[in-house]
Amino acid sequence: MSIDEPFENYATQYDAWYDSERGKIVYENEKRCLKRIINDCKGKVLEVGVGTGRFAVIAEEAFGVDVARAPLRIAKSRGIKVIQAKAEELPFRDKAFCCVMFIVTLCFVKKPLLALSEANRVLKDKGKIIIGDVFLDSEWGRFYEQKKREGHVFYRFAKFYSFEDFRKIVNSAGLRIKRVFGSLKKSPFEEPSPEEPEAVSYEVSSYGFLCVELTK
C-alpha cells in the first residue's frame, strides 16, 4: 500500500474526525496556534499536503496540493484551488506565494529536505514557511509513534522527528527558525479543552502541537 491510499480510501472518515466532540476541540486549538503566524500574510498561501482543506481555509487566498485525489475534492468544495502533486515536485513558478504551509504533512513526506527546498523555491523573498506538526519530544509525539508501531491506518506511514532533527533539516534547506508557538499542553490521554497558543523558546516538549515559522 502506498502512502496516499489510506487518505484516498478514507478521506470522508478522516475529515469527519474534525467535527467529532474531541477532534473539534483539538482542531480549534491547532488553528489558533496557526493563526498566530499566518494572520499577517496577505496574498497567495499554499498548503502542501492540504488534505481536506481544514487548515487552508484560514487563508484569504488558498491553494493546495496533495498526492491523494479524494481529499482534494473535499478541499475544493471548501473554496480552495487544488492540484494533485507531490511536495517534492511543486507545479508552480518561482516566488509565487507569500506563505507555504505544511500542517502535519512533513512527517508523511518521503524527502523532507527536497520538499522544503521546493517550498523555498516557490516562496516570495520576504515570505514565510509554516510547519505545524507533532514532534517526538512531546507526549503527543510518543503517543502517535506508538500508534504507528501498532499499524494505525494513517500513522504507520509517518516518520515523526525530534525537534533537533527537524532543526537540522531546516538548516540544510537554507532556512532558519524565526518563531515557534505551541498548543496541546494537555496529555493525549486527558479530555481536551480550549487553549491559547503560547510562544515557545526552549521547552518544546511541553506542547503536543508546534507551529514553526521559517524564513529564508
Side-chain angles (χ1 to χ4, degrees), residues 65-85:
V65 299
D66 207 290
V67 292
R69 285 185 181 276
L72 284 178
R73 288 193 287 271
I74 299 174
K76 186 177 181 180
S77 74
R78 292 191 164 110
I80 298 158
K81 303 175 181 70
V82 300
I83 299 176
Q84 186 179 26

Side-chain angles (χ1 to χ4, degrees), residues 7 14-15 17-19 22-39 41 45-66 71 74-76 78-82 99-106 108 130-134 144 155 183-184 208-211:
F7 295 96
Y14 166 83
D15 189 65
W17 176 85
Y18 290 95
D19 294 320
R22 181 182 179 86
K24 190 180 298 183
I25 297 171
V26 173
Y27 171 49
E28 289 300 325
N29 287 340
E30 292 174 343
K31 279 202 301 183
R32 288 189 196 98
C33 200
L34 174 60
K35 285 178 179 178
R36 290 296 296 271
I37 298 178
I38 197 177
N39 273 352
C41 184
V45 173
L46 171 66
E47 184 177 359
V48 179
V50 69
T52 58
R54 290 282 185 164
F55 292 97
V57 292
I58 296 173
E60 293 181 3
E61 188 175 0
F63 292 74
V65 299
D66 207 290
I74 299 174
K76 186 177 181 180
R78 292 191 164 110
I80 298 158
K81 303 175 181 70
V82 300
C99 177
V100 180
M101 306 192 302
F102 294 77
I103 310 301
V104 195
T105 294
L106 208 64
F108 289 103
I130 302 174
I131 308 295
D133 225 320
V134 177
Y144 284 126
Y155 297 119
S183 189
L184 305 188
F209 182 75
L210 294 177
C211 272

Side-chain angles (χ1 to χ4, degrees), residues 90-97 117-125 216:
L90 297 177
F92 303 105
R93 60 179 174 79
D94 294 358
K95 302 180 181 181
F97 299 96
S117 297
E118 268 291 89
N120 195 10
R121 178 185 66 78
V122 302
L123 190 68
K124 292 180 181 294
D125 288 336
K216 298 188 177 188

Side-chain angles (χ1 to χ4, degrees), residues 1-2 4-14 68 70-71 153-154:
M1 181 181 288
S2 64
D4 62 309
E5 285 186 46
F7 295 96
E8 194 74 71
N9 297 332
Y10 300 102
T12 303
Q13 294 92 322
Y14 166 83
V153 64
F154 298 118

